[in-house]
């Protein structure tokens, strides 16, 4: 069973299309870890594109909750809140209804999936080994998939130890030693100084993780963001991958 793992699309349709084209034929189902909207210029088109995917399991992220008025905008930084106010206005009722139905976390055949963390799916950022080590106590299976940090990485628990690893791009990375917290990185707003869209393929039959990066037309996304007068800092960060 090969699963396309995507997270943090953030209304960046150009990046999402590039990922779906690149991944075509390499997966049997899709798990989307939330934050379909927020920051970017195409919230409705991204919701439509995701929900139309075959064999999909989709979570909501903190931006998805805020975009439908179910999370206080004061919990976001000012530019994120500005983009969310625009997203709230732009969202069609069918998009809002879809986002409203999404769970924050789920266990699928023993694999935990959550937007931020299995303890605090909307609020917690697992970016270091100190927190990752604690999070292994909050799920029971071998694997937990998360997004939210916008940084692709692998945390491995082996005995009492927890290691942070970076899986090589485009190569099969074995995940058969210990337990893992896996983050595919962000489709629509990467923050690891690599502006290319990120996703991963999880193969549960071979215990492998393939991290992928895909170039996309960043200028086109930026052009659309300027058309809607979204904050300039959100536009320029896409070039830098921060
Ligand atoms: Zn996000």
């Amino acid at each position: 069973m090969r699963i396309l793992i995507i997270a943090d699309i953030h209304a960046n349709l150009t990046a999402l299309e590039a990922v779906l084209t690149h991944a075509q034929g390499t997966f049997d189902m899709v798990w989307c870890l939330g934050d379909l909207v927020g920051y970017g210029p195409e919230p409705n088109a991204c919701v439509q594109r995701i929900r139309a995917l075959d064999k999909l399991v989709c979570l909501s992220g903190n931006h998805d909750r805020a975009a439908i008025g179910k999370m206080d905008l004061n919990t976001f930084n000012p530019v994120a809140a500005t983009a969310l106010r625009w997203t709230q206005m732009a969202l069609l009722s069918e998009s809002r209804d879809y986002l409203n139905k999404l769970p924050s976390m789920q266990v699928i055949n023993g694999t935990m999936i959550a937007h931020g963390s299995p303890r605090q799916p909307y609020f917690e950022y697992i970016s270091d080994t100190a927190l990752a080590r604690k999070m292994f106590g909050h799920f029971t299976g071998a694997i937990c998939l998360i997004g939210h940090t916008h940084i692709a990485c692998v945390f491995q628990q082996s005995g009492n130890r927890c290691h942070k690893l970076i899986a090589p791009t485009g190569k099969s990375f074995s995940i058969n030693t210990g337990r893992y917290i896996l983050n595919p990185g962000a489709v629509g707003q990467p923050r690891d100084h690599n502006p290319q869209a990120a996703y991963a393929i999880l193969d549960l039959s071979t215990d492998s993780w393939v991290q992928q990066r895909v170039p996309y037309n960043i200028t086109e996304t930026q052009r659309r963001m300027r058309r809607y007068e979204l904050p300039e800092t959100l536009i320029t960060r896409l070039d830098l991958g921060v």
Side-chain angles (χ1 to χ4, degrees):
M1 175 64 71
R2 302 163 306 166
I3 308 145
L4 170 64
I5 312 294
I6 51 175
D8 298 291
I9 293 96
H10 284 298
N12 188 339
L13 183 67
T14 315
L16 176 61
E17 292 291 2
V19 162
L20 294 175
T21 300
H22 190 264
Q24 204 167 19
T26 68
F27 61 91
D28 309 301
M29 63 186 299
V30 185
W31 294 352
C32 173
L33 309 179
D35 275 2
L36 285 69
V37 304
Y39 295 130
E42 304 278 2
N44 293 300
C46 284
V47 169
Q48 271 169 29
R49 190 72 178 91
I50 295 280
R51 71 184 295 186
L53 292 169
D54 231 16
K55 299 200 174 113
L56 168 75
V57 177
C58 189
L59 303 179
S60 69
N62 52 322
H63 285 252
D64 301 323
R65 296 302 286 169
I68 57 169
K70 300 229 163 155
M71 192 177 290
D72 188 349
L73 291 185
N74 290 321
T75 62
F76 294 83
N77 69 53
V79 280
T82 299
L84 278 166
R85 270 187 285 276
W86 177 83
T87 305
Q88 287 176 343
M89 283 190 327
L91 270 187
L92 300 171
S93 61
E94 64 206 54
S95 305
R96 203 173 291 123
D97 291 348
Y98 181 73
L99 293 176
N100 192 30
K101 287 187 197 130
L102 300 176
S104 63
M105 57 200 287
Q106 201 165 323
V107 179
I108 313 163
N109 298 331
T111 300
M112 165 72 82
I113 64 174
H115 178 63
S117 85
R119 181 169 69 177
Q120 293 271 6
Y122 291 135
F123 298 105
E124 210 157 38
Y125 292 84
I126 307 182
S127 22
D128 56 54
T129 50
L131 185 59
R133 183 178 283 115
K134 288 186 195 149
M135 289 304 112
F136 280 104
H138 289 267
F139 64 101
T140 53
I143 296 170
C144 173
L145 299 161
I146 48 134
H148 197 41
T149 65
H150 298 206
I151 294 175
C153 76
V154 171
F155 293 100
Q156 179 196 32
Q157 184 197 47
S158 174
N160 285 334
R161 304 188 129 202
C162 178
H163 305 280
K164 185 178 184 178
L165 310 160
I166 304 292
T169 300
K171 288 184 185 154
S172 181
F173 182 79
S174 177
I175 49 166
N176 63 2
T177 312
R179 299 170 73 218
Y180 294 87
I181 296 172
L182 302 163
N183 187 328
V187 171
Q189 195 202 74
R191 293 180 189 163
D192 57 357
H193 301 275
N194 175 352
Q196 297 185 344
Y199 75 93
I201 301 289
L202 171 67
D203 191 334
L204 290 174
S205 47
T206 59
D207 289 329
S208 70
W209 176 255
V210 182
Q211 180 69 55
Q212 295 285 11
R213 300 306 286 258
V214 191
Y216 72 96
N217 190 341
I218 295 174
T219 309
E220 176 58 28
T221 297
Q222 292 171 321
R223 193 182 64 74
R224 295 179 193 188
M225 290 173 82
R226 288 203 173 93
R227 191 204 300 162
Y228 298 122
E229 298 180 350
L230 287 161
E232 191 62 25
T233 49
L234 296 179
I235 296 170
T236 51
R237 73 189 296 179
L238 292 178
D239 284 322
L240 307 170
V242 294

